[in-house]
């Protein structure tokens, strides 16, 4: 089976945590790896890593409230700290006390907060292309402001059917260095189709996006120093959303063991674009512990 078939074959569990329900898929045996997606992806984004990682570890693949197979209510708090609370409560509910975290963009903001709040539980922290203190990525603050206006979810559903929008800076252009990957249906449609098909999924995605906490992100400049877990940064060198030059500066904010690896010929989603290199770096880093 290929990576997509392996992911699609995983049993989906829906675990209720207070006013939200998280999607959970599990694969492999061994020490626990919890993998957290960012925006606008969901657990599917890890499909290419799972065959390698699950040969060595038990992988817990999450869908956070607002995206993927998750569910939410009008009472759901989508803030970054609340998302972290959902993950921590889920780990407690399924009986996991020690684990490593692998997380991408806004999911890595959630993961960093978990590592700060529960330092004794997080063994390794692997961060891919994430928010940077005092940096605002292009278009994200704009979408945060307008995404939940009455007409916008319906408009976005229409625009996502247009290839010109999907491949534009307002869409998914910065996902990959190799732009031809945008033409591969299995790369993009799993993220766009749920939104196109469902007004509620569209609203959920924008609620997730609006929940990204820039006060917390900026505070990481000082809070990074309190993270005890060994930390690995993996960064697509061509990323214009979270520029490499700014990302490297975060290493000096940590007091724990920290490594930074640049993934060449990759952009915002290096784990989708260069999965073998990313998986190899993750396995080497964890096994060195």
């Amino acid at each position: 089976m290929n990576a997509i078939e392996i992911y699609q074959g995983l049993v989906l569990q829906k675990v209720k945590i207070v006013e939200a329900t998280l999607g959970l898929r599990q694969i492999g045996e061994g020490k626990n790896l919890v993998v957290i997606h960012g925006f606008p992806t969901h657990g599917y984004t890890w499909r290419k890593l799972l065959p390698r990682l699950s040969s060595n570890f038990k992988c817990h693949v999450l869908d956070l409230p607002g995206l993927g197979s998750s569910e939410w209510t009008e009472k759901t708090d989508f803030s970054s700290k609340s998302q972290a609370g959902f993950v921590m409560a889920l780990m407690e509910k399924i009986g996991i006390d020690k684990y490593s975290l692998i997380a991408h963009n806004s999911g890595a903001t959630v993961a960093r907060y978990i590592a700060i709040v529960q330092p004794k539980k997080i063994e390794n922290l692997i961060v891919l292309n994430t928010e940077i203190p005092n940096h605002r990525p292009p278009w994200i603050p704009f979408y945060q402001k307008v995404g939940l206006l009455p007409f916008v979810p319906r408009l976005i559903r229409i625009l996502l059917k247009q290839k010109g929008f999907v491949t534009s800076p307002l869409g998914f252009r910065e996902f990959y260095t190799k732009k031809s990957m945008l033409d591969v249906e299995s790369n993009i449609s799993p993220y766009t189709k749920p939104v196109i098909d469902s007004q509620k999924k569209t609203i959920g995605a924008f609620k997730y996006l609006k929940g990204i906490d820039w006060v917390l992100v900026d505070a990481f400049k000082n809070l990074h120093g309190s993270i005890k877990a060994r930390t690995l940064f993996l960064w697509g060198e061509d990323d214009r959303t979270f520029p490499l030059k700014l990302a490297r500066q975060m290493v000096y904010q940590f007091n724990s063991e920290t490594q930074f690896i640049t993934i060449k010929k990759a952009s915002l989603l290096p784990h989708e674009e260069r999965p073998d290199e990313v998986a190899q770096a993750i396995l080497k880093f964890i096994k060195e512990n």
Side-chain angles (χ1 to χ4, degrees):
M1 292 193 296
N2 62 33
I4 296 174
E5 291 171 334
I6 291 172
Y7 180 82
Q8 291 175 336
L10 299 180
V11 174
L12 170 64
Q13 304 173 57
K14 292 194 174 185
V15 185
K16 185 172 177 56
I17 306 293
V18 193
E19 73 277 14
T21 299
L22 278 66
L24 172 66
R25 296 170 174 86
Q26 297 169 304
I27 182 174
E29 297 291 338
K31 287 192 172 184
N32 294 297
L33 290 182
V34 177
V35 292
I36 305 178
H37 63 85
F39 178 86
T41 63
H42 46 77
Y44 179 84
T45 194
W46 304 108
R47 65 198 179 280
K48 296 179 182 179
L49 295 191
L50 292 178
R52 290 281 300 275
L53 298 181
S54 63
S55 296
N56 297 269
F57 303 99
K58 183 166 186 178
C59 301
H60 307 267
V61 187
L62 309 186
D63 285 346
L64 294 180
L67 295 166
S69 302
S70 67
E71 297 174 2
W72 52 274
T73 72
E74 292 302 319
K75 295 182 179 180
T76 303
D77 182 352
F78 289 86
S79 68
S80 300
K81 289 182 180 180
S82 180
Q83 296 277 21
F86 293 142
V87 176
M88 290 185 284
L90 173 63
M91 294 301 104
E92 184 175 351
K93 192 166 188 175
I94 64 177
I96 294 176
D97 189 56
K98 291 270 190 181
Y99 54 100
S100 294
L101 277 167
I102 304 174
H104 175 242
N105 77 31
S106 52
T109 289
V110 172
R112 282 177 284 176
Y113 186 71
I114 294 172
I116 291 166
V117 173
Q118 295 189 330
K120 293 183 179 180
K121 294 192 174 186
I122 308 305
E123 297 180 307
N124 301 280
L125 175 64
I126 295 95
V127 171
L128 292 86
N129 296 65
T130 187
E131 287 85 5
I132 301 166
N134 302 313
H135 168 71
R136 299 294 182 267
W139 302 114
I140 297 302
F142 168 75
Y143 276 132
Q144 285 180 309
K145 289 180 180 178
V146 307
L148 293 172
L149 294 176
F151 66 91
V152 173
R154 186 176 300 277
L155 175 61
I156 287 293
R157 294 173 66 201
I158 294 170
L159 291 174
L160 286 175
K161 297 177 183 179
Q162 313 301 318
K163 182 179 178 181
F165 177 80
V166 171
T167 58
S168 75
L170 281 166
F172 296 80
R173 190 183 74 178
E174 300 305 330
F175 265 34
Y176 310 116
T177 294
K178 191 176 181 181
K179 303 308 179 189
S180 61
M181 290 185 69
L182 293 169
D183 296 326
V184 180
E185 185 177 355
S186 61
N187 289 336
I188 300 300
S189 64
Y191 308 130
T192 59
K193 191 175 187 303
V195 173
I196 292 170
D197 291 347
S198 168
Q199 178 84 349
K200 183 169 183 178
K201 290 281 188 183
T202 311
I203 293 171
F206 278 123
K207 287 193 171 190
Y208 175 98
L209 183 64
K210 194 172 181 65
I212 298 173
D213 184 348
W214 298 112
V215 173
L216 175 61
V217 170
D218 292 344
F220 279 147
K221 184 174 182 179
N222 297 315
L223 293 175
H224 281 153
S226 64
I227 292 177
K228 305 299 182 184
R230 300 171 68 246
T231 301
L232 171 64
F233 285 94
L234 292 169
W235 220 270
E237 69 170 349
D238 299 328
D239 189 357
R240 295 183 180 181
T241 305
F242 304 115
L244 178 63
K245 182 178 179 180
L246 297 178
R248 287 185 179 277
Q249 297 173 10
M250 288 193 288
V251 172
Y252 303 103
Q253 299 164 6
F254 284 72
N255 294 317
S256 57
E257 178 188 343
T258 308
Q259 297 180 28
F260 193 105
I261 296 177
T262 302
I263 306 299
K264 296 184 179 300
K265 297 181 181 179
S267 187
L268 180 60
L269 277 67
H271 54 294
E272 292 197 17
E273 202 160 10
R274 299 288 173 185
D276 291 340
E277 294 174 39
V278 170
Q280 183 178 359
I282 290 172
L283 292 172
K284 182 175 184 293
F285 179 76
I286 294 179
K287 289 179 179 178
E288 285 175 351
N289 191 354

